[in-house]
Amino acid sequence: MNTPRIRLGDLLVQQQLISEEQLGNALAEQRQTGRKLGATLVAMNMVSEKQILNILSDHLNVPLIDLDNTRVDPEAVKLLPEIQARRYRALVIEDKGESLVVGMSDPADINAIDSLSELLPKQIDLAVVSETQLFGAYDTLYRKTEEITSFAQELAEEYKDDQSFDLSQSLDAESDTAVARLLQSIFDDAVQAKASDIHIEPDEGKLRIRQRIDGVLQEHIISEKNIAAALVLRLKLMAGLDISEKRIPQDGRTQVRAKNHRIDVRLSTMPVQNGEAVVMRLLDQSAGVLSLNHTGMPEELLTRFRQLLQRPHGMILVTGPTGSGKTTTLYGALSELNSPERKIITVEDPVEYRLPRINQVQVNNKIDLTFSNVLRTTLRQDPDIIMVGEMRDQETVEIGLRGALTGHLVLSTLHTNDAISSATRLLDMGAPGYLVASSLRGIVAQRLIRKICDNCSQDYQPTAQELFWLSSIDESVKEVAFKHGRGCQKCNQTGYRGRLGVFELLEMTNEMMRALKMSDTLAFSEAAERNPSYKPLSHVALTYAKMGITTVKEVTKLIETVVEAQPSKPAEDSNHG
């Protein structure tokens, strides 16, 4: 390729975007950091990345490609291995038959171009791309699916003559290494995709590996089904489980390192028709505990929640279904309350994040270390604040409520769909109404909804059914211009990128406490709905949809679950016979 040799710094000086003095300062900084000159200039706020890209595009007469809005051919991407792509800051975008379109953040790097020409099988047509977009594209496009399949095939070769997996083979160093490489690829891919869970499911003739990303499962199928037992065995060994027991479910825990992250893995096995299924919940310990400021709770609601946390005693509940972010909110609250002046004890199953200064107790039902038994002991440990992982039974509820009544701040969770049904659930579990009314101070209910990808957001016209649902909440929706994501490179063609917390906060009033004392759930619900500070989850989610942050589909999904949870009112008397 005949590419003109230029120096970026000289070109920027010629264009009067920087001075000779600024160039000298940037070169001195570059020698210390080892970064490329362009990145150094941007970091020193001398020029913007966009200015550099436009200069390179014009001078080299190559197109400037916006990767976020360009459909990249995944088959073309595979022509350049990830390690080489990252090394040369390059990406194969398209195979045009005679040539390959290759995007580079620095298309003036002659040495990189020469190396790419040797690595790639066809002539190169250069394009200039943003380095920021390039690194984002690497994480999206270079998933480990090919590597996982390759390691699975390698492992399957070792067992091709066997109908079933022999436990004695686990002692073989070579096969153990193959399993380890396969599992490492699975974990690396999950962390790269920001998955919260990994499901390993043996099926008839195949093995399914599924990842939950932004609350939705994405599937990768491996045809080498005979490796399933080897994977499960290795995972059981890592988690300290009984490898000889396949008939009953088992739970364990282990830690792995993936993509420079320290990941805590909660592992659950279950016997199924074709072997053992494994589900792993991934907790990124490297990220630390999120503060309440990072939960997504609106400022006004956050202020009221913090006021509840500063009360010396009483019970505060955080509620929602599994995977709604309750634990994140509770740990954020504990982080704010954690100080040398306060004694904090938690009773959890399991302990998810380690917190300094806080006494965290792991429940163990096998030795009768239950929530209720630990909670009794906890009250004798002179605590100021107690966090109970979950209110599971009447005994735990009553001990927690009495603890809140006797001068302790008690935080806990319930698996209910909204704040109003949480208070009535305590009554349903057998707690006396007077005890609930005297102890309960506030309830936070929450959900996680998917956010529209900000790169491919566009107008959306709701269907008649969707408008019917939304109009039941707010009549003005007929005039709103809603949005959805069409799908792009940035969001892996899903139209969604990331999730957002939706919260409601119900604080107890005298009217609500009187209803609870009488165990009148209907009167309690009506009093809560009349509370001017109470804004239901459905209204909050609809507000986000009207702002173009989430989709109508996400709101209607949330409405359906909340409506199902609403207590039914008694039918009115009829004069008809």
Side-chain angles (χ1 to χ4, degrees):
M1 295 185 62
N2 296 320
T3 307
R5 293 181 178 271
I6 62 162
R7 295 191 350 173
L8 177 61
D10 294 337
L11 190 56
L12 292 171
V13 171
Q14 288 175 18
Q15 297 290 326
Q16 298 183 343
L17 289 173
I18 60 172
S19 65
E20 290 282 0
E21 182 182 358
Q22 286 176 311
L23 176 59
N25 292 336
L27 289 170
E29 177 72 14
Q30 182 194 21
R31 283 191 288 272
Q32 288 188 347
T33 62
R35 288 187 298 191
K36 286 184 172 289
L37 180 59
T40 303
L41 289 164
V42 172
M44 296 176 72
N45 294 318
M46 292 183 181
V47 291
S48 69
E49 186 180 34
K50 188 174 182 180
Q51 286 176 310
I52 292 176
L53 294 175
N54 285 326
I55 286 288
L56 288 171
S57 176
D58 291 342
H59 186 81
L60 296 172
N61 195 28
V62 297
L64 171 57
I65 292 180
D66 180 359
L67 282 179
D68 288 345
N69 290 299
T70 300
R71 183 174 283 275
V72 178
D73 181 359
E75 294 303 315
V77 169
K78 295 175 187 175
L79 295 172
L80 184 64
E82 181 181 4
I83 189 169
Q84 305 295 351
R86 290 183 182 272
R87 179 180 179 183
Y88 298 118
R89 305 290 195 270
L91 182 72
V92 182
I93 297 171
E94 182 185 1
D95 186 345
K96 296 171 70 175
E98 296 292 321
S99 62
L100 300 171
V101 178
V102 178
M104 295 182 67
S105 61
D106 183 8
D109 187 337
I110 302 299
N111 293 329
I113 293 169
D114 289 343
S115 298
L116 290 170
S117 297
E118 293 178 8
L119 288 167
L120 294 170
K122 297 179 183 179
Q123 179 183 325
I124 295 174
D125 292 338
L126 282 179
V128 61
V129 295
S130 157
E131 186 168 290
T132 305
Q133 292 182 355
L134 197 57
F135 280 99
Y138 289 151
D139 290 339
T140 303
L141 294 164
Y142 281 106
R143 296 288 299 276
K144 300 291 183 181
T145 50
E146 292 295 319
E147 187 176 285
I148 290 169
T149 302
S150 174
F151 285 149
Q153 290 170 347
E154 178 185 335
L155 185 60
E157 281 296 308
E158 299 179 22
Y159 308 126
K160 64 182 179 181
D161 297 325
D162 299 328
Q163 295 299 315
S164 60
F165 179 66
D166 182 0
L167 287 178
S168 64
Q169 289 180 321
S170 66
L171 302 176
D172 181 81
E174 187 175 339
S175 62
D176 194 55
T177 302
V179 176
R181 287 203 304 269
L182 175 55
L183 282 173
Q184 187 64 54
S185 292
I186 292 171
F187 284 121
D188 284 345
D189 187 55
V191 171
Q192 186 168 302
K194 296 182 173 62
S196 60
D197 302 83
I198 301 172
H199 296 231
I200 296 177
E201 303 168 343
D203 203 345
E204 190 172 352
K206 62 178 73 72
L207 176 66
R208 299 181 192 275
I209 298 178
R210 302 202 280 176
Q211 299 175 345
R212 191 173 295 280
I213 301 169
D214 287 342
V216 179
L217 285 171
Q218 296 183 10
E219 185 174 80
H220 175 56
I221 294 176
I222 295 176
S223 57
E224 292 76 19
K225 186 246 180 184
N226 62 329
I227 69 170
L231 277 181
V232 174
L233 175 71
R234 177 62 186 243
L235 288 168
K236 281 183 168 183
L237 287 169
M238 289 168 63
L241 302 182
D242 184 353
I243 60 173
S244 63
E245 181 57 77
K246 299 180 180 180
R247 301 164 300 169
I248 59 174
Q250 297 186 65
D251 296 312
R253 188 172 192 154
T254 186
Q255 280 195 344
V256 298
R257 288 202 70 85
K259 290 287 183 179
N260 295 319
H261 292 252
R262 184 165 59 89
I263 306 298
D264 211 0
V265 181
R266 282 166 43 190
L267 183 144
S268 172
T269 71
M270 183 173 68
V272 294
Q273 189 173 10
N274 294 292
E276 283 184 280
V278 178
V279 175
M280 293 176 281
R281 168 64 57 89
L282 308 182
L283 300 165
D284 189 351
Q285 299 289 344
S286 306
V289 177
L290 288 177
S291 71
L292 285 177
N293 290 327
H294 293 94
T295 58
M297 201 177 287
E299 192 60 40
E300 179 270 335
L301 194 146
L302 186 56
T303 301
R304 290 165 52 208
F305 184 49
R306 283 184 166 133
Q307 288 170 352
L308 283 175
L309 292 173
Q310 293 307 317
R311 292 191 177 188
H313 57 84
M315 177 178 282
I316 301 171
L317 293 175
V318 180
T319 75
T322 302
S324 59
K326 300 186 299 295
T327 302
T328 301
T329 301
L330 273 183
Y331 274 104
L334 288 178
S335 295
E336 291 203 0
L337 294 168
N338 191 4
S339 67
E341 298 80 27
R342 293 187 176 107
K343 170 91 169 187
I344 302 176
I345 302 177
T346 73
V347 187
E348 305 173 65
D349 183 20
V351 175
E352 295 195 6
Y353 292 97
R354 276 74 171 179
L355 297 171
R357 199 187 292 115
I358 293 179
N359 296 274
Q360 297 175 268
V361 182
Q362 167 81 52
V363 168
N364 187 343
N365 291 320
K366 292 179 182 177
I367 57 172
D368 206 29
L369 199 65
T370 62
F371 274 110
S372 53
N373 288 342
V374 176
L375 198 48
R376 284 194 195 90
T377 305
T378 296
L379 292 170
R380 295 194 288 270
Q381 290 283 311
D382 189 28
D384 296 295
I385 299 164
I386 303 168
M387 193 272 272
V388 185
E390 185 185 342
M391 291 292 177
R392 290 186 177 176
D393 52 55
Q394 179 181 354
E395 191 175 15
T396 306
V397 169
E398 289 199 22
I399 297 171
L401 288 169
R402 293 186 190 282
L405 196 60
T406 55
H408 306 92
L409 181 64
V410 179
L411 309 178
S412 190
T413 71
L414 266 180
H415 286 285
T416 54
N417 284 320
D418 65 352
I420 293 176
S421 61
S422 300
T424 59
R425 175 66 62 84
L426 295 178
L427 298 175
D428 293 340
M429 292 173 76
Y434 74 89
L435 195 55
V436 178
S438 305
S439 306
L440 192 59
R441 294 290 176 265
I443 306 168
V444 174
Q446 64 183 82
R447 287 288 195 290
L448 290 175
I449 57 175
R450 291 184 291 173
K451 294 195 297 183
I452 298 171
C453 173
D454 54 8
N455 186 64
C456 62
S457 176
Q458 62 182 26
D459 290 342
Y460 173 74
Q461 179 58 47
T463 65
Q465 181 65 27
E466 288 170 337
L467 278 176
F468 172 78
W469 275 99
L470 301 178
S471 298
S472 66
I473 301 172
D474 185 352
E475 280 290 336
S476 68
V477 295
K478 295 172 183 175
E479 312 299 324
V480 175
F482 290 101
K483 302 282 186 182
H484 78 147
R486 70 176 184 276
C488 67
Q489 196 64 47
K490 213 168 184 179
C491 62
N492 201 23
Q493 309 302 325
T494 63
Y496 295 98
R497 196 155 180 254
R499 290 195 289 178
L500 172 74
V502 178
F503 300 86
E504 68 180 20
L505 173 58
L506 182 63
E507 296 173 86
M508 295 300 107
T509 63
N510 290 332
E511 188 181 4
M512 284 187 269
M513 286 191 283
R514 281 195 296 271
L516 286 174
K517 195 173 293 185
M518 302 297 293
S519 297
D520 189 339
T521 57
L522 181 58
F524 173 79
S525 300
E526 292 172 343
E529 289 167 359
R530 286 194 296 270
N531 187 345
S533 66
Y534 172 65
K535 190 174 182 183
L537 285 168
S538 53
H539 287 72
V540 178
L542 182 53
T543 301
Y544 286 133
K546 291 163 75 173
M547 294 166 62
I549 296 173
T550 191
T551 62
V552 168
K553 184 177 179 181
E554 287 292 291
V555 177
T556 52
K557 276 167 55 181
L558 185 145
I559 292 171
E560 286 172 359
T561 58
V562 173
V563 167
E564 288 171 5
Q566 297 294 337
S568 56
K569 296 183 181 181
E572 295 181 5
D573 291 336
S574 172
N575 293 324
H576 300 288

